Amino acid sequence: MEHDNSKYFTTGEFAKLCKVNKQTVIYYDQIGLLSPVIKDSKGYRYYSIRQLELFIVIDLLKDLGMSLNDIQQYTQNKSPEEFLSLMYQQKDLLIQKRKELEKNEQIIEAKIKLMEQASSLNFEQISLEQISAANLYLSRNIKDIPDEEFVEAVSDFITELYVKKLDTGYPIGGMTMREEVLKGEYTNYTYLYMEQPKQKDSYTFHPSLKGYYLIGYHIGLEKDIDKTYTRIFAEMNRLNLTLGEYVFEEYIYDNVVKNREEEYITKIMVHVN
C-alpha cells in the first residue's frame, strides 16, 4: 500500500518542526520513544503532524527532570488516566520546585542585604544601639561540651535548619550567657542561633535581641578576640553601663568573602543595662 508522503515529514523536517537537531529525533526512534509512522521499503522515515504534540509532551517532561527511560515507560502504556496522573504528579513537583526557588531567592536577598550593610560599617568603632525584637532559632545547649561534640552539634544544627526550612541566609551565630562572659569564657557558647525575620507558628523561637547593645567588631583570629572584648568593656564602663543577659557573636566577613583568617570580622553584640 502506497502512502502519500507529501502529508508527512521527513526526519529532518520533523526535527526542524520540533526545533531540535535531527540526531535527537533519530535517537528517540532508536530507543523506541518516538518512532516514525511510516518506514518505507527504501528506508525512508516519515512523521505525522499528529506526533508533534507527543514530542512536545516528551520535551516538557524531559525539561522537568524526568528521565527518558521513565518517559518511555509512559509512552508504552499510554491512556487518558495515566496521562492525567502524570500531569498531576509533575504539577506537584513544580509547586515544590517553585517553593524551593522562592526560599533560595529569600536567602540570596538576605545575604545581599547583609553584605551591603557591612560595606558601610566602621569596624573600629564601638557603638551603643537599641535593637528591636528579633526571633532566634536556637540549637541544643552546647555549653561546656568538648570540641568533638561541638562539631557534631554544629552539624546537627545545620541539618535542623535544612530539614525545617529555617535557613534564612543570616549567619549562624554563637550566644553566650552573662556568667560565662564574666569569667572571660567568651567562646563557651550556650547556644548556636540563626535569626528568623518571620515568625513560624510551628516552631519555638527565642526573642532575645530586644534591648540596648554595645556593638563592636573583632578583626582577625578568634584566639585574639579577648582584646576586642576588653575594648567593649572599657566603653561599657565609660558609659556607666552594666552587662546584661547575653552576648551574641556572628561573622560579618568569613571564608566566604575572605581568603585569610586574619581578615575575618566578627560582630560582637553585648547586651547592656
Side-chain angles (χ1 to χ4, degrees), residues 188-206:
N188 188 14
Y189 306 127
T190 305
Y191 301 102
L192 302 174
Y193 69 88
M194 180 174 282
E195 186 174 339
Q196 304 290 317
K198 295 181 180 179
Q199 178 73 38
K200 288 190 176 182
D201 295 335
S202 52
Y203 299 108
T204 301
F205 299 111
H206 186 74

Side-chain angles (χ1 to χ4, degrees), residues 21 120 273:
N21 61 57
S120 62
N273 297 309

Side-chain angles (χ1 to χ4, degrees), residues 15-270:
K16 186 176 181 180
L17 194 65
C18 297
K19 295 180 173 53
V20 295
N21 61 57
K22 183 177 176 180
Q23 290 306 313
T24 297
V25 177
I26 292 172
Y27 179 65
Y28 284 2
D29 179 23
Q30 289 173 342
I31 65 174
L33 185 60
L34 179 61
S35 296
V37 293
I38 300 173
K39 294 182 182 179
D40 67 18
S41 57
K42 296 180 181 179
Y44 291 111
R45 289 163 165 76
Y46 296 93
Y47 292 82
S48 166
I49 187 66
R50 296 178 182 274
Q51 292 180 286
L52 177 60
E53 183 62 28
L54 178 56
F55 182 91
I56 290 171
V57 171
I58 290 170
D59 205 42
L60 170 65
L61 295 174
K62 187 161 65 73
D63 283 348
L64 291 174
M66 198 169 173
S67 71
L68 291 180
N69 184 61
D70 287 342
I71 297 172
Q72 187 181 44
Q73 292 298 313
Y74 165 72
T75 61
Q76 292 175 352
N77 299 278
K78 288 181 286 189
S79 73
E81 294 77 17
E82 285 295 322
F83 179 72
L84 191 58
S85 174
L86 182 61
M87 290 297 102
Y88 274 123
Q89 182 185 67
Q90 293 303 313
K91 180 182 177 181
D92 288 343
L93 289 173
L94 272 176
I95 291 171
Q96 183 60 38
K97 286 180 181 178
R98 187 183 300 120
K99 289 179 180 178
E100 291 172 359
L101 285 172
E102 289 173 352
K103 181 67 176 176
N104 288 338
E105 183 181 8
Q106 291 171 4
I107 290 173
I108 289 172
E109 285 178 349
K111 291 187 180 299
I112 289 172
K113 174 186 173 183
L114 292 170
M115 198 54 54
E116 288 181 341
Q117 288 175 344
S119 66
S120 62
L121 294 174
N122 180 353
F123 296 126
E124 302 296 333
Q125 181 181 353
I126 296 172
S127 59
L128 177 63
E129 299 180 21
Q130 184 177 15
I131 297 179
S132 58
N135 297 308
L136 305 179
Y137 184 73
L138 303 184
S139 70
R140 61 183 170 91
N141 193 310
I142 59 172
K143 180 182 170 185
D144 295 325
I145 64 173
D147 289 346
E148 59 272 14
E149 289 186 33
F150 178 74
V151 173
E152 182 181 346
V154 174
S155 178
D156 289 345
F157 186 56
I158 291 171
T159 299
E160 277 185 56
L161 294 171
Y162 175 77
V163 171
K164 296 179 179 179
K165 302 187 184 306
L166 293 173
D167 185 352
T168 59
Y170 283 75
I172 292 176
M175 173 180 171
T176 310
M177 305 302 285
R178 182 177 188 274
E179 58 268 22
E180 298 304 311
V181 176
L182 289 173
K183 292 188 294 185
E185 299 287 344
Y186 305 127
T187 57
N188 188 14
Y189 306 127
T190 305
Y191 301 102
L192 302 174
Y193 69 88
M194 180 174 282
E195 186 174 339
Q196 304 290 317
K198 295 181 180 179
Q199 178 73 38
K200 288 190 176 182
D201 295 335
S202 52
Y203 299 108
T204 301
F205 299 111
H206 186 74
S208 298
L209 286 181
K210 186 175 182 180
Y212 285 92
Y213 287 80
L214 275 177
I215 298 178
Y217 301 91
H218 174 66
I219 304 172
L221 305 176
E222 184 182 284
K223 67 182 181 66
D224 299 324
I225 203 166
D226 59 303
K227 297 175 182 177
T228 303
Y229 272 96
T230 298
R231 291 178 54 230
I232 293 173
F233 291 147
E235 182 66 6
M236 186 188 305
N237 291 333
R238 189 184 73 81
L239 296 173
N240 198 28
L241 298 170
T242 58
L243 182 63
E245 296 181 69
Y246 316 105
V247 172
F248 300 93
E249 287 183 14
E250 57 190 47
Y251 276 125
I252 298 293
Y253 294 155
D254 58 7
N255 61 359
V256 174
V257 297
K258 292 290 187 178
N259 289 322
R260 299 174 63 246
E261 194 174 351
E262 292 81 0
E263 297 177 332
Y264 291 2
I265 296 178
T266 305
K267 182 178 182 179
I268 302 173
M269 295 172 282
V270 178

